[in-house]
Amino acid sequence: MTNNSTLLCSMLAGIAALAWSSPASMDVEAPRPYGAVPSPAQLAWNDMEMHGFVHFTTNTFTGREWGFGDESPDMFNPTDYDPEQIVKVMADGGMKGIILTAKHHDGFCLWPTKTTKHSVASSSWKHGKGDVVRDFANACKKYGLKFGIYLSPWDRNHPAYGTPEYIKVYREQLRELLTNYGPLFEVWHDGANGGDGYYGGKREKRSIDRSTYYDWPKTWELVHRLQPGAVIFSDVGPGCRWVGNESGFANYPCWATYEPKSPDASLAAPGHCTSGNLPSGDVNGKFWIPAEADVSIRPGWFWHESENARVRTPENLMELYFCSVGRGANLNLNVPPDRRGRIHENDEVALKGFAALLKKLYSRNFAAGAVVSADSTRPGTDASRVLDRKRTTFWMAADGHKTGTVTLNLPEEAEFDVIRLAEPIQLGQRIRKFSVSVLEDGQFVPWVDGSSIGGHTLRQGKLVKTKAVRVSIDAADAEPALSEISLWKRPVVMKAPEVVRNAEGKVELKSPSGMTLRYTLDGTEPGTLSPEYKEPLNLPLGGKIAARAFRGEEMSSVVTEELPVSTADWKVIAAEQAASDPKAAIDGNPRTLWHTHAGSGEIAPPQAIDIDMGADIPVSAVYYTPRQDGTTRGIVSHYEVYLSNDGKNWGRPAATGEFSNIKANPIRQKIAMKHPVKARYMRFVAKSVVDGNHVVVAELGVEAAR
Ligand code: FUL
């Protein structure tokens, strides 16, 4: 295997030399790295900070999140395909690279691979002459973005999946991608593996042993050999690790050092991670495996028409930025192309807005021009080097000093609320703790503090006005070093109102006082002439509400909610109740759970809950909300839904299927009916769960056709 530590150690000398621009007198030794350090590929990756993800395949056309593997290649048929538009929108949004789903779990290859017929070569799109991977590689080159690929290990199409034969196919697919499309900055192996699928027509369930089946070390060797500049992503590295959620948040602290918790670290592999430390990493961890926060701009990873109004707002993206890049992770933001093969207008607007906020944030560095001093300085590392914001030039405390204080006397009194700090990580993650104080009435008073810094950290405090800033640092068993101290002001954005259904079933819009709130119910964007919100709205059948806050000339972005039918008059008529009251599934409060984990033990799926909706409803969709408490036990993976007029005769299921990817992305699931079904009674059957052996339902609901 590619032994991470050996590989890193052997590169160490070179990196340290690179990082060290020595003083004129050559009698000072280069500073010694501390602990695990990044490889050159990881250093380049760190400096990117933010890159884009592109989920695009037959799912875009079928509306699924995970294809089963039986999709016809003809399904892939973008009608106004424009890879350059996609890449340009991403570049304008601030992304420094793009990772494309060359193959997702359904097995459809977006390049004309020789390894399987299930690819663009078999599609009537472009008469089988298309190569999406090539198009993206070219477009990235044109717009100055780096390029990376996602190759799903799980392949629900391939007949040999589950046998050693498939591993050869997988490696060959990887080899094609690693050799034919120019330099790659990242190779992405996701952690969802094994389960039911088409598998060449067998339509069965295939389980694999995640720790041994793929023999990852051998695959990693291939990547290192053919693309030494690529960082390998998997749940546990070795190049970068999953942040542990798909909502774009790292913990704080978030150490770049990490140790996969596996009975045998050499077996640590995608999907095999049992560590609870993904969002935080491990202080002093043996390996340099920084976190990557992957998150979608929409609820799902693929484009779905029904999610066009649920694109994140610029301020939400900014919040993600602070919670990922600002905590030392890299942000991998997914923006999925639509059926035209372009980025949808709504996503483009959101990305532009985000880029504008970032530009505003970084428009003025209040530390620029400061006079910088430190309590001790290693010769050749003058403290003023923290001002140029370059990782390769830094201040370091004098030999033997494990703490340090750097003071910035600003050129003029400045008002700011954000400090950005960075360590020269080529020398390892050395700092364990820091505090920042600002000069107020002739005295330094505490302002913000923190722990991990690593490659980039942003801390926001209250807005302060001051002429001097002092950063005090405690390091591990090594002299602390800083390559950046900069000061910024976060743009103030007016918050969009919150939409909530209250206990009486009425819909409330909430916002800080002093705002005028306006809304629409017809899918249009609220403007100054839209109805003003005055009191809770009576919307028993739910519907789409869009709302926005106004104050003077200013207005917030738009919040859009698909409100389910009010459950205020619903009753549960049958369900397992040994463990909890089934009413919790329809009380409108996702924090209360109906579950079947009784004191006497787990009550296994399948579990049904029968509900009287109080009146006939033209049901066009059913919603299932999984638990939102960070636990995955009992989350439903496969379901059946029945609709009935009398609550006695249920007939055939109105819908049956899987909640793809619900474990990693536990958001509200929508089961759309092919045609609206008029019914008064609903039965939801949880057929199987992702973890544990009991069923958990946070909320159930329905959408009424209109
Ligand atoms: C997961 C996959 O199962 C999702 O569909 C998505 O691709 C996400 C980025 O990774 O493992």
Side-chain angles (χ1 to χ4, degrees):
M1 81 173 265
T2 308
N3 182 323
N4 206 339
S5 55
T6 322
L7 183 83
L8 297 176
C9 287
S10 66
M11 290 169 167
L12 225 62
I15 301 163
L18 253 180
W20 173 246
S21 45
S22 73
S25 63
M26 295 301 291
D27 52 359
V28 187
E29 253 182 71
R32 282 224 300 270
Y34 174 80
V37 292
S39 68
Q42 288 172 316
L43 280 177
W45 179 88
N46 169 79
D47 297 348
M48 292 172 74
E49 298 191 2
M50 207 164 66
H51 53 257
F53 221 170
V54 174
H55 275 67
F56 191 35
T57 192
T58 49
N59 290 346
T60 313
F61 304 88
T62 58
R64 290 180 179 164
E65 276 289 296
W66 285 358
F68 195 68
D70 58 356
E71 297 77 17
S72 156
D74 287 340
M75 296 281 332
F76 186 80
N77 189 20
T79 52
D80 188 17
Y81 177 59
D82 192 350
E84 290 200 359
Q85 185 260 1
I86 298 168
V87 171
K88 183 165 185 310
V89 168
M90 294 292 234
D92 291 348
M95 307 300 137
K96 300 287 182 275
I98 277 182
I99 299 174
L100 172 72
T101 51
K103 180 182 88 168
H104 203 251
H105 308 327
D106 55 85
F108 183 69
C109 297
L110 293 186
W111 78 105
T113 173
K114 293 201 173 74
T115 61
T116 171
K117 287 214 162 66
H118 200 54
S119 83
V120 278
S122 304
S123 173
S124 36
W125 177 65
K126 289 198 172 181
H127 307 292
K129 297 276 180 282
D131 184 344
V132 182
V133 179
R134 168 92 50 228
D135 298 337
F136 272 77
N138 288 344
C140 282
K141 214 166 161 191
K142 176 162 174 185
Y143 289 101
L145 261 58
K146 295 189 183 184
F147 183 49
I149 52 111
Y150 171 122
L151 187 70
S152 167
W154 184 22
D155 189 323
R156 299 175 100 179
N157 171 270
H158 207 280
Y161 184 78
T163 70
E165 182 57 28
Y166 170 74
I167 301 305
K168 290 194 199 137
V169 173
Y170 184 71
R171 292 215 179 107
E172 184 51 25
Q173 293 181 342
L174 200 52
R175 206 195 52 74
E176 289 178 354
L177 292 167
L178 298 173
T179 47
N180 291 329
Y181 296 97
L184 300 174
F185 81 97
E186 186 165 335
V187 175
W188 224 88
H189 308 286
D190 72 272
N193 272 295
D196 54 356
Y198 175 70
Y199 305 127
K202 286 278 186 336
R203 297 185 182 276
E204 60 191 7
K205 188 165 179 177
R206 294 191 183 171
S207 307
I208 48 107
D209 180 343
R210 293 163 181 220
S211 58
T212 52
Y213 177 56
Y214 296 105
D215 186 8
W216 284 110
K218 213 162 158 196
T219 303
W220 294 342
E221 232 171 71
L222 189 73
V223 180
H224 284 304
R225 186 156 46 81
L226 297 173
Q227 289 280 349
V231 160
I232 301 173
F233 170 99
S234 84
D235 282 7
V236 295
C240 59
R241 67 178 197 267
W242 187 38
V243 77
N245 61 65
E246 292 184 356
S247 21
F249 282 69
N251 269 8
Y252 191 75
C254 180
W255 306 100
T257 48
Y258 174 68
E259 274 174 47
K261 300 286 181 292
S262 153
D264 171 354
S266 71
L267 287 181
H272 187 61
C273 183
T274 52
S275 163
N277 283 342
L278 287 169
S280 295
D282 300 300
V283 66
N284 285 326
K286 237 198 267 162
F287 306 110
W288 187 273
I289 310 181
E292 179 186 293
D294 61 318
V295 59
S296 186
I297 196 164
R298 291 162 167 253
W301 288 98
F302 288 90
W303 179 87
H304 307 296
E305 171 103 58
S306 63
E307 292 179 357
N308 279 349
R310 304 191 60 207
V311 176
R312 289 175 186 274
T313 57
E315 60 269 26
N316 180 281
L317 294 172
M318 189 68 161
E319 184 59 20
L320 290 188
Y321 176 82
F322 269 81
C323 293
S324 54
V325 176
R327 292 177 179 175
N330 273 20
L331 176 60
N332 179 8
L333 179 65
N334 178 63
V335 189
D338 60 16
R339 289 186 184 163
R340 293 171 302 177
R342 304 170 66 98
I343 302 272
H344 188 271
E345 290 70 6
N346 295 1
D347 308 57
E348 187 175 350
V349 166
L351 265 184
K352 274 212 176 109
F354 172 47
L357 287 179
L358 273 182
K359 197 167 163 208
K360 208 160 172 201
L361 169 71
Y362 288 122
S363 60
R364 177 145 183 220
N365 176 6
F366 296 96
V371 175
V372 193
S373 58
D375 61 344
S376 91
T377 299
R378 180 188 174 85
T381 68
D382 188 82
S384 63
R385 289 175 164 217
V386 299
L387 294 182
D388 70 4
R389 309 190 59 212
K390 287 197 190 122
R391 186 173 44 71
T392 45
T393 52
F394 51 87
W395 158 85
M396 188 182 259
D399 271 5
H401 291 247
K402 304 293 152 62
T403 60
T405 301
V406 181
T407 306
L408 274 65
N409 283 300
L410 309 181
E412 58 188 354
E413 191 175 51
E415 198 179 39
F416 52 84
D417 57 1
V418 172
I419 185 164
R420 194 182 143 111
L421 299 164
E423 293 181 71
I425 53 169
Q426 59 274 24
L427 299 172
Q429 188 155 14
R430 309 162 79 95
I431 294 170
R432 295 290 170 265
K433 214 162 81 181
F434 66 90
S435 62
V436 185
S437 38
V438 292
L439 196 64
E440 256 177 39
D441 301 328
Q443 278 204 325
F444 278 102
V445 294
W447 176 51
V448 294
D449 55 18
S451 44
S452 59
I453 295 179
H456 33 82
T457 284
L458 292 147
R459 302 293 284 164
Q460 186 173 3
K462 65 173 199 292
L463 198 63
V464 282
K465 222 180 200 174
T466 188
K467 271 216 76 178
V469 177
R470 176 165 288 168
V471 182
S472 305
I473 309 158
D474 278 353
D477 203 14
E479 296 76 12
L482 279 174
S483 56
E484 173 172 353
I485 302 178
S486 55
L487 302 165
W488 313 92
K489 196 165 162 185
R490 185 167 172 171
V492 181
V493 182
M494 202 170 164
K495 285 219 165 61
E498 216 190 317
V499 182
V500 283
R501 216 187 246 290
N502 67 21
E504 291 91 59
K506 293 205 170 154
V507 179
E508 288 184 31
L509 299 185
K510 291 193 164 165
S511 229
S513 58
M515 316 260 189
T516 306
L517 307 181
R518 297 188 183 275
Y519 66 93
T520 62
L521 299 170
D522 59 2
T524 59
E525 200 172 280
T528 44
L529 298 178
S530 305
E532 186 179 339
Y533 173 78
K534 295 232 163 68
E535 56 183 9
L537 306 168
N538 202 6
L539 296 169
L541 285 182
K544 199 184 268 180
I545 183 165
R548 171 180 253 170
F550 295 81
R551 192 181 42 209
E553 299 284 282
E554 264 186 290
M555 62 182 178
S556 73
S557 51
V558 179
V559 60
T560 309
E561 286 289 337
E562 268 178 40
L563 290 165
V565 169
S566 165
T567 56
D569 298 330
W570 288 20
K571 285 187 187 65
V572 175
I573 50 176
E576 174 58 60
Q577 44 190 318
S580 85
D581 188 344
K583 249 208 246 143
I586 53 167
D587 64 358
N589 178 0
R591 280 183 300 276
T592 56
L593 308 176
W594 170 56
H595 66 86
T596 66
H597 193 174
S600 51
E602 294 179 280
I603 308 170
Q607 289 291 333
I609 175 167
D610 295 354
I611 294 163
D612 175 359
M613 300 186 286
D616 282 349
I617 295 171
V619 178
S620 52
V622 170
Y623 294 110
Y624 163 69
T625 307
R627 64 194 303 171
Q628 301 292 304
D629 57 3
T631 316
T632 53
R633 293 164 63 80
I635 288 185
V636 178
S637 60
H638 292 81
Y639 62 84
E640 267 172 8
V641 170
Y642 296 80
L643 294 165
S644 150
N645 291 322
D646 58 8
K648 293 185 188 81
N649 300 300
W650 293 96
R652 290 162 59 81
T656 171
E658 76 174 6
F659 295 129
S660 312
N661 201 32
I662 193 169
K663 183 171 176 179
N665 192 18
I667 54 172
R668 183 177 81 175
Q669 309 286 311
K670 180 172 179 175
I671 307 165
M673 302 292 130
K674 282 202 184 84
H675 310 285
V677 182
K678 201 158 178 203
R680 169 159 175 172
Y681 299 87
M682 170 178 57
R683 168 177 286 171
F684 177 81
V685 186
K687 287 173 63 185
S688 51
V689 293
V690 299
D691 273 333
N693 199 23
H694 63 275
V695 167
V696 180
V697 174
E699 239 19 69
L700 288 171
V702 300
E703 175 192 84
R706 46 201 64 247

